[in-house]
Amino acid sequence: MPLKKAVVDWDSLGFNLLKTRSMYSANCRVGENWENGSLIPYGNIELSPAAVVLNYGQGVFEGTKAFQTSDKRIVLFRIDKNAKRIAWSTERLCIPKLNPDFFIDAVFETVRDNLDFVPPYGKGSMYIRPIVWGVSPALGVGPATDYRFMIYVSPVGPYFKGGYKSLNLKIETNFHRAASKGIGNAKAIGNYSASLLPLVKAKKEGFDEVIYLDSISEDTIEEIGSANLFIYHDGVLKTPNVSGSILKGVTRDSVCKIASEILDIKVEETDISLSDLFEAKEVFCTGTAVQITSVGSITYKNDVYNYYREDLGPITKKLKKTLTKIQRGEIIDPFGWLSPVIT
Ligand SMILES: Cc1ncc(COP(=O)(O)O)c(C=O)c1O
């Protein structure tokens, strides 16, 4: 049967899963190599109800994007960083190592087979979701003996419902996302289940997301459930130091490099106290899915702190413009961050 061409309304993309043509799948048994790596039609998969991932959460994932550039190339953004991070995440969760070249080749193969699902230039991007799970059944707690690596993709638009409108955040005082020596610095599926109840409660109260505090002193900020945080304060761009509980974001690193090496802005990776946050001139969050999204207001207990609510702050605007232009190939990529999928 001929493969169907993508039929997508590019003007109404949100952050929702749209089925594409194919997905990647490979298997590995502990002590052996990853094998049977191939594309299969996108669809449901079969899993034992006793699979370790379903019972004990032995799963990690990545999130990266492909873009169409202004000169019609399809490019991946800093895919080597995702390869590095999944290597750490798998190690932390006792999952067999994915060789970076194997991981990157699999991403390329999946994107190439679904090229017509990459939104046209300026209309969005293709979100790429590599996942690795322990799939063999087990009753007692322990790592699986068999693993599955898959990649699916979806064309996407803005992550938040309001598009790129400034966010209304709440500082979470009842729940932590991750413990200081836990798995917060791995992209482990369990981190996201921990964030569901705080997110649902916050949304019911009219917020877009929550800011998590460090789980020991509760007086420094960490990140939001799906992105890293930045503040611009006293002429310095600051972001929390990545510790055991904060995910080392690819966008976070890109923003630090753009700020210090292109825009000549002083950058500090440091502890950020609540008072620094409240006194900041600009606040924004960063992530593959959220790109750079500005924060317009933050509620802490009964107090509300306002920042740039309608427009972006000047520093946020410059950083967002530069990152977007690099990703879309509108300016020269001085760091070599783009890898062409087709040229
Ligand atoms: C918890 C968390 N922090 C930060 C990020 C940002 O990381 P990156 O910029 O690599 O997407 C993400 C997601 O993507 C995330 O889920």
Side-chain angles (χ1 to χ4, degrees), residues 222-234:
E222 295 216 317
E223 56 182 330
I224 69 170
S226 51
N228 294 113
L229 271 170
F230 280 82
I231 67 168
Y232 186 65
H233 179 234
D234 277 346

Side-chain angles (χ1 to χ4, degrees), residues 63 85 177 187 192 223-228 247-252 286-289:
R85 188 167 64 191
R177 190 189 88 93
K187 209 161 164 69
Y192 297 84
E223 56 182 330
I224 69 170
S226 51
N228 294 113
L247 192 75
K248 218 171 175 178
V250 176
T251 323
R252 173 188 179 280
T286 65
T288 299

